[in-house]
Amino acid sequence: MSALFLIAHIAGRAVAIDSAQVESVVDIGIVIPVPKTGAQVLGLAALRSRVVTVIDTRAALGAALGGTVAEARATRAVITVAEGHHYAMLVDSLEDVAPFDLLPLSSGIVLDGGWRGVGCGIVERDGEPVLAIDLRALLPGLTALAA
């Protein structure tokens, strides 16, 4: 059965995010750093009269950044809700929302580094595989959703 997926790019890789995980897509402005947090927590930002925790998805995946942090920091974000809290998950870019069939990850697919923990399947877009990810797996202290 088809479901809607948002196609985005994180750390230079196309990913598919189940629309059930997406509350909205926004541009992130000023981010206030939070002391004593992990590298994946960029800080807090105000969004529509609410405070959201901004997650650096590249850092959560262990992806190295080229250039300076100011040059490399994404400004687009996917807003997701986990355990009643809103998170802004930074993405490099966004494409479109389209219906796809979620296929299981086959045993022959090897995901490196942090991708191994976030991959939850594959969707085929124009004959090419796109990794479907679970945004919760990028959040510090939370576990991935049960399939």
Side-chain angles (χ1 to χ4, degrees):
M1 173 161 258
S2 290
L4 289 176
F5 286 86
L6 171 65
I7 303 298
H9 292 265
I10 298 174
R13 176 180 274 181
V15 296
I17 304 166
D18 189 325
S19 64
Q21 296 180 53
V22 178
E23 181 179 273
S24 62
V25 174
V26 299
D27 289 313
I28 294 293
I30 297 171
V31 178
I32 307 301
V34 177
K36 299 184 181 183
T37 59
Q40 71 270 35
V41 178
L42 196 60
L44 301 174
L47 180 67
R48 298 183 203 121
S49 301
R50 112 174 31 117
V51 175
V52 297
T53 302
V54 180
I55 302 297
D56 182 343
T57 53
R58 287 175 174 249
L61 289 165
L65 295 174
T68 67
V69 172
E71 293 170 342
R73 186 170 83 77
T75 59
R76 301 282 301 184
V78 174
I79 303 299
T80 192
V81 179
E83 296 183 2
H85 301 284
H86 289 81
Y87 295 89
M89 313 297 286
L90 294 180
V91 297
D92 300 338
S93 63
L94 296 163
E95 287 187 30
D96 201 1
V97 176
F100 295 101
D101 291 325
L102 180 64
L103 306 171
L105 287 171
S106 71
S107 60
I109 295 176
V110 178
L111 297 174
D112 56 339
W115 294 106
R116 188 174 20 257
V118 300
C120 61
I122 295 287
V123 300
E124 280 196 25
R125 181 178 66 154
D126 299 327
E128 295 291 322
V130 176
L131 181 66
I133 65 168
D134 178 359
L135 289 178
R136 282 182 58 116
L138 293 168
L139 298 174
L142 294 181
T143 56
L145 291 172

